[in-house]
Amino acid sequence: MTVTKQIKELANGIYHSILKKKQPKIESPLRALSNVKYDEKVGYFDLRGKKKARTLTVGTVKTFAQTLRMMALSKELVEKEDIATKREAYYVSKNWGDARFKEQPESDTVMDDVEAMLMVNREQMGFIPEEKGGDIAGKLIVVDKDADTGKQLKIDCTKMGSGAYSIPSSVEDLKFETNAKFILAIETAGMFQRLVKHNYWKKANCILVSMGGVPTRACRRFIRRLSDAKKLPVYVFTDGDPYGFGSIYRTLKVGSGNAAHINKYFCVPNAKFIGITPQDIIDYKLPSHPLKDVDIKKIKDLIKNDPFVIHHKEWQKALQQMAKMKVRAEQQALAKWGLNYVIDKYLPDKLKNNKTWLP
Amino acid sequence: MTVTKQIKELANGIYHSILKKKQPKIESPLRALSNVKYDEKVGYFDLRGKKKARTLTVGTVKTFAQTLRMMALSKELVEKEDIATKREAYYVSKNWGDARFKEQPESDTVMDDVEAMLMVNREQMGFIPEEKGGDIAGKLIVVDKDADTGKQLKIDCTKMGSGAYSIPSSVEDLKFETNAKFILAIETAGMFQRLVKHNYWKKANCILVSMGGVPTRACRRFIRRLSDAKKLPVYVFTDGDPYGFGSIYRTLKVGSGNAAHINKYFCVPNAKFIGITPQDIIDYKLPSHPLKDVDIKKIKDLIKNDPFVIHHKEWQKALQQMAKMKVRAEQQALAKWGLNYVIDKYLPDKLKNNKTWLP
């Protein structure tokens, strides 16, 4: 069912409740880690099914009206093929009379509610993230269209030179052509630039993605859609530290707790972690830094509370190993053995031997 | 003189000092706001000429050796056409025996010294920034080359669809083809995406740049080189707040204090500020937010201490006006009048009337 149709049906239900003099009600899933489960076969943090309902009363009338207005704005965006950021949506509300939002966090919450209600990601409703992020280079042709003419546009990511293709805020309508063997998702822009500079994607027959830290929504969705469409494995290459494991990789692979209603669109369940693993720090004799207090806290927290880590013994072992070693290592630490050691030795070795990966 | 030649001459001087049993000495400009002046004709914060010298003694022997090693690394990078980030350079030093750096801030400082000594930006020495940033869409063809074959590559920024061309970490060797009338540099990724979505660059015959906050080195250098090469005016469009004026715009236009030795490469002296000005908030009846304490402090600081603001009466007036109004406005605030008001009304109006700009 299309978003427009869903919105119409919801609105229709409310309209008829009112005509029948019944109190109209809108329902959305409860968004919290407590309402989340992890099943490896499903592949992402999924909702347990708890819901919250909002019935129209004197106390809820304003939020209720705002929710309907937000749905109407979404319908308009989808029909006109336009877009709006959360911030723009907030300012548009300034013309909604008494239903206008006072502060942006209010309108963000209502937008999240509508997103959860419709069980779609808000990009499908015409709302785009404030932040862009994610660069692509390598064996991929992105198929987009010209905004004015609707004519197909093919963007060849092997022809970007030292630059890259920058992922748009919304990737829902992109199509892909590729004969690459895999996607390599990289934490830092510096490492990405090195691999681009030396056309690593040509040697390895792959697609390079620069995440620049924790990947944005658009970057995660792009990798997911590309991986699904072309049945491509996704290998993840981050710093060897709890942030790289628990924030960057875990978010990319299974999603996060407070966005569980949309994880199914954003997670990349077939992602594998190729490094830097704690064992790599030993095997490759990498220069390292002592773990900070915040690192140690994060390791404990992941082992104790994270459904993903609890599910995977290998991750528990790796995290315990790091806690014992008391050090972390950056992906640039490989430069100790020469600037291009990562290209000539580390990546080829690691890609050949999946026993050195983490799930 | 090429960087390699400069490095060789410097090293040669030191070598011959030692042969003559003289204490070798290296000199670099003092990098501080106190050693900076602003002259509108020059167009950027320029050095006043104070220098600091480092003579080889027992106390300086390690830093002295590290400086020479860093120069040697730079020479190697330039000769091999390779690149290294600051972080990689730090790790490379781990193989320098006693001259290795203990922490990265030490190696960063030495790199800055070498940069200042040679009076070039470090990208010319083969060192690239850690962070990428800056997206391009519109009437521009970037001329780059393939890293393996050296063959020319033309990247057409009108053919990126909803995506964009992502500026590489180093832009020193790029060339440009364009018949655009101007460059529009935009603060937020969300606003950029709106202008891209509606092919604004086609209507306005321009090149769009997304800065994503304070522009990175690569983004500033890209705008500068493009503007120089094609004699293009640069119009800047940020939020109407002291951060947009004093951090984003001022840094883009004249550079910053602690990097004065390289401002001449990174500043964009012909940039003009088209909005959001304090007067725009009144003229366009924009929804606004109260100034925070940090905003008020920044305004006072800019008026009192910033050589650029002190030089330009118009900026002093505008900042005083904002202090009086006690409010700021975001560029998305224009959405109150319709999501595409910015395209249909605001930008065309502003571009037509340069009396509404700030210098």
Side-chain angles (χ1 to χ4, degrees):
Chain A
M1 186 156 50
T2 65
V3 167
T4 323
K5 210 174 154 202
Q6 272 193 77
I7 291 174
K8 277 187 192 163
E9 283 191 8
L10 263 167
N12 218 21
I14 291 164
Y15 178 68
H16 284 287
S17 292
I18 294 171
L19 286 189
K20 285 180 206 151
K21 306 208 167 164
K22 277 187 191 163
Q23 274 184 309
K25 193 171 79 173
I26 42 188
E27 258 191 356
S28 61
L30 185 68
R31 302 193 311 274
L33 204 59
S34 61
N35 191 28
V36 153
K37 62 183 174 227
Y38 176 66
D39 177 341
E40 197 177 351
K41 276 176 224 138
V42 174
Y44 53 86
F45 284 172
D46 201 10
L47 287 166
R48 286 187 185 279
K50 283 180 218 155
K51 299 211 165 198
K52 69 170 181 186
R54 185 176 288 146
T55 308
L56 177 58
T57 64
V58 174
T60 64
V61 62
K62 190 171 168 186
T63 332
F64 205 93
Q66 288 170 327
T67 309
L68 296 181
R69 278 284 205 171
M70 192 65 87
M71 283 163 54
L73 175 60
S74 167
K75 182 167 162 284
E76 188 188 327
L77 292 175
V78 175
E79 285 174 351
K80 285 191 183 161
E81 286 194 52
D82 205 342
I83 48 176
T85 64
K86 281 183 165 184
R87 198 176 294 169
E88 286 176 324
Y90 159 72
Y91 284 115
V92 166
S93 86
K94 293 293 183 186
N95 258 334
W96 290 353
D98 288 342
R100 71 180 169 277
F101 295 104
K102 263 181 104 171
E103 300 290 343
Q104 201 193 322
E106 296 170 23
S107 68
D108 288 355
T109 307
V110 167
M111 191 183 292
D112 287 346
D113 283 345
V114 175
E115 184 181 54
M117 235 162 66
L118 303 180
M119 289 296 276
V120 298
N121 53 322
R122 64 173 180 268
E123 288 80 356
Q124 294 184 48
M125 300 163 21
F127 296 116
I128 62 163
E130 219 68 57
E131 299 303 325
K132 274 172 64 98
D135 280 352
I136 308 289
K139 297 233 171 163
L140 175 67
I141 289 170
V142 178
V143 184
D144 199 346
K145 55 177 187 179
D146 184 276
D148 287 339
T149 62
K151 238 184 85 181
Q152 206 180 59
L153 272 175
K154 290 194 177 188
I155 302 141
D156 186 345
C157 300
T158 66
K159 300 245 175 351
M160 294 288 158
S162 54
Y165 168 74
S166 171
I167 299 173
S169 304
S170 175
V171 304
E172 299 303 323
D173 300 321
L174 300 179
K175 291 191 179 66
F176 308 106
E177 292 174 8
T178 182
N179 52 20
K181 287 262 171 52
F182 62 92
I183 300 167
L184 184 64
I186 301 148
E187 174 174 346
T188 63
M191 179 58 77
F192 174 79
Q193 192 71 53
R194 168 159 307 285
L195 300 185
V196 167
K197 171 86 187 177
H198 294 279
N199 283 359
Y200 173 74
W201 50 265
K202 211 184 265 183
K203 295 168 196 121
N205 192 17
C206 70
I207 299 162
L208 303 174
V209 183
S210 171
M211 299 186 287
V214 175
T216 61
R217 288 170 67 104
C219 183
R220 291 161 59 197
R221 182 82 174 129
F222 185 94
I223 296 174
R224 168 60 185 277
R225 290 199 63 238
L226 173 58
S227 158
D228 275 7
K230 297 295 163 186
K231 307 266 175 293
L232 290 178
V234 176
Y235 304 133
V236 182
F237 180 24
T238 74
D239 286 343
D241 61 28
Y243 186 76
F245 308 152
S247 295
I248 297 176
Y249 175 69
R250 199 272 265 138
T251 302
L252 181 73
K253 176 151 177 154
V254 298
S256 61
N258 65 355
H261 60 293
I262 49 164
N263 281 340
K264 67 170 164 180
Y265 298 109
F266 288 94
C267 66
V268 182
N270 66 344
K272 302 285 175 204
F273 188 84
I274 64 161
I276 306 281
T277 65
Q279 188 61 39
D280 286 345
I281 301 177
I282 300 169
D283 293 347
Y284 292 89
K285 298 189 181 62
L286 298 182
S288 61
H289 294 89
L291 290 179
K292 290 179 221 155
D293 289 347
V294 55
D295 293 322
I296 295 165
K297 196 170 160 287
K298 174 120 191 163
I299 289 179
K300 282 188 189 151
D301 192 45
L302 284 168
I303 292 176
K304 201 175 151 208
N305 299 320
D306 193 291
F308 174 71
V309 173
I310 291 167
H311 182 86
H312 288 291
K313 278 223 175 79
E314 296 95 322
W315 270 114
Q316 288 172 46
K317 271 190 206 159
L319 288 165
Q320 275 152 359
Q321 184 184 13
M322 175 161 276
K324 233 186 200 165
M325 292 162 61
K326 294 195 177 70
V327 294
R328 60 190 171 86
E330 293 169 338
Q331 44 184 192
Q332 279 81 1
L334 293 158
K336 184 187 172 181
W337 306 114
L339 283 169
N340 291 313
Y341 182 81
V342 60
I343 292 174
D344 301 330
K345 174 83 174 139
Y346 179 78
L347 284 175
D349 272 13
K350 293 289 295 190
L351 288 167
K352 241 180 281 167
N353 187 357
N354 66 13
K355 281 187 194 132
T356 67
W357 304 351
L358 287 165
Chain B
M1 187 156 52
T2 66
V3 168
T4 323
K5 209 174 157 203
Q6 273 195 75
I7 292 174
K8 277 187 192 163
E9 284 192 6
L10 262 167
N12 218 22
I14 291 164
Y15 178 69
H16 285 285
S17 292
I18 294 172
L19 286 188
K20 285 181 207 153
K21 305 209 168 164
K22 277 189 191 161
Q23 274 184 310
K25 192 171 78 169
I26 41 186
E27 257 190 356
S28 60
L30 184 69
R31 300 194 312 275
L33 202 59
S34 61
N35 192 27
V36 152
K37 62 182 174 228
Y38 177 66
D39 176 342
E40 197 177 350
K41 275 176 225 138
V42 173
Y44 53 86
F45 283 174
D46 201 10
L47 288 165
R48 287 187 184 278
K50 284 179 218 158
K51 297 210 166 200
K52 67 170 182 186
R54 186 176 288 147
T55 308
L56 178 58
T57 65
V58 176
T60 64
V61 63
K62 190 170 167 187
T63 331
F64 205 94
Q66 288 170 328
T67 308
L68 296 180
R69 277 285 204 168
M70 193 63 87
M71 281 163 54
L73 176 59
S74 167
K75 181 167 161 287
E76 189 189 326
L77 292 176
V78 174
E79 284 174 353
K80 286 192 184 162
E81 286 194 52
D82 205 343
I83 49 174
T85 63
K86 281 184 165 184
R87 197 177 295 169
E88 286 176 327
Y90 160 73
Y91 284 115
V92 166
S93 87
K94 293 293 182 187
N95 258 335
W96 290 353
D98 287 341
R100 72 179 168 278
F101 296 103
K102 263 181 103 171
E103 300 290 342
Q104 200 192 322
E106 296 171 23
S107 68
D108 289 354
T109 307
V110 168
M111 190 182 293
D112 288 345
D113 283 346
V114 176
E115 184 181 54
M117 235 161 68
L118 303 179
M119 289 294 276
V120 298
N121 52 321
R122 65 173 180 267
E123 288 80 357
Q124 294 184 48
M125 300 163 22
F127 296 116
I128 62 164
E130 219 67 56
E131 299 303 324
K132 274 171 60 99
D135 281 351
I136 308 289
K139 296 234 170 161
L140 174 68
I141 289 171
V142 178
V143 184
D144 199 346
K145 56 178 186 178
D146 184 275
D148 287 340
T149 63
K151 236 185 84 181
Q152 204 180 59
L153 271 176
K154 291 195 178 188
I155 301 141
D156 186 344
C157 300
T158 65
K159 299 246 178 343
M160 294 288 160
S162 54
Y165 168 74
S166 172
I167 298 173
S169 304
S170 175
V171 303
E172 299 303 323
D173 301 320
L174 300 181
K175 291 190 180 67
F176 308 104
E177 293 174 6
T178 182
N179 52 19
K181 288 262 171 54
F182 62 92
I183 300 167
L184 184 65
I186 301 148
E187 173 173 347
T188 64
M191 179 58 77
F192 174 78
Q193 193 71 53
R194 167 160 307 284
L195 300 185
V196 168
K197 171 85 187 177
H198 294 280
N199 282 1
Y200 173 74
W201 49 266
K202 210 184 268 182
K203 294 169 198 122
N205 192 18
C206 69
I207 299 162
L208 303 174
V209 183
S210 171
M211 299 187 288
V214 176
T216 61
R217 287 169 67 105
C219 184
R220 291 161 58 197
R221 182 82 173 129
F222 186 93
I223 296 174
R224 167 60 184 278
R225 290 199 62 239
L226 172 58
S227 157
D228 275 8
K230 298 295 162 185
K231 308 266 174 292
L232 288 178
V234 177
Y235 304 132
V236 183
F237 179 25
T238 74
D239 286 342
D241 60 29
Y243 187 77
F245 308 151
S247 296
I248 298 176
Y249 175 69
R250 199 273 265 138
T251 303
L252 180 73
K253 176 150 179 156
V254 298
S256 60
N258 65 356
H261 61 293
I262 49 162
N263 281 339
K264 67 171 163 178
Y265 298 109
F266 288 93
C267 66
V268 183
N270 66 345
K272 302 285 175 201
F273 188 83
I274 63 160
I276 308 281
T277 65
Q279 188 60 39
D280 285 345
I281 301 178
I282 300 169
D283 293 347
Y284 292 90
K285 299 189 181 63
L286 298 182
S288 61
H289 293 90
L291 290 179
K292 290 180 222 155
D293 288 348
V294 55
D295 294 322
I296 296 165
K297 194 170 160 289
K298 175 119 192 164
I299 289 179
K300 282 188 189 152
D301 192 46
L302 284 168
I303 293 177
K304 200 175 152 206
N305 300 319
D306 192 291
F308 173 71
V309 172
I310 290 168
H311 182 85
H312 288 291
K313 277 223 177 81
E314 296 94 323
W315 270 113
Q316 289 173 44
K317 270 189 207 159
L319 288 166
Q320 276 153 357
Q321 183 184 14
M322 175 163 275
K324 235 187 200 165
M325 290 162 61
K326 295 193 176 70
V327 294
R328 59 192 172 85
E330 294 168 337
Q331 43 184 192
Q332 280 80 0
L334 292 158
K336 185 189 171 181
W337 305 114
L339 284 168
N340 291 313
Y341 183 81
V342 62
I343 293 175
D344 301 330
K345 174 82 174 142
Y346 178 78
L347 284 175
D349 271 13
K350 293 289 296 189
L351 289 167
K352 239 179 282 170
N353 187 358
N354 66 11
K355 281 187 193 133
T356 68
W357 304 352
L358 286 165

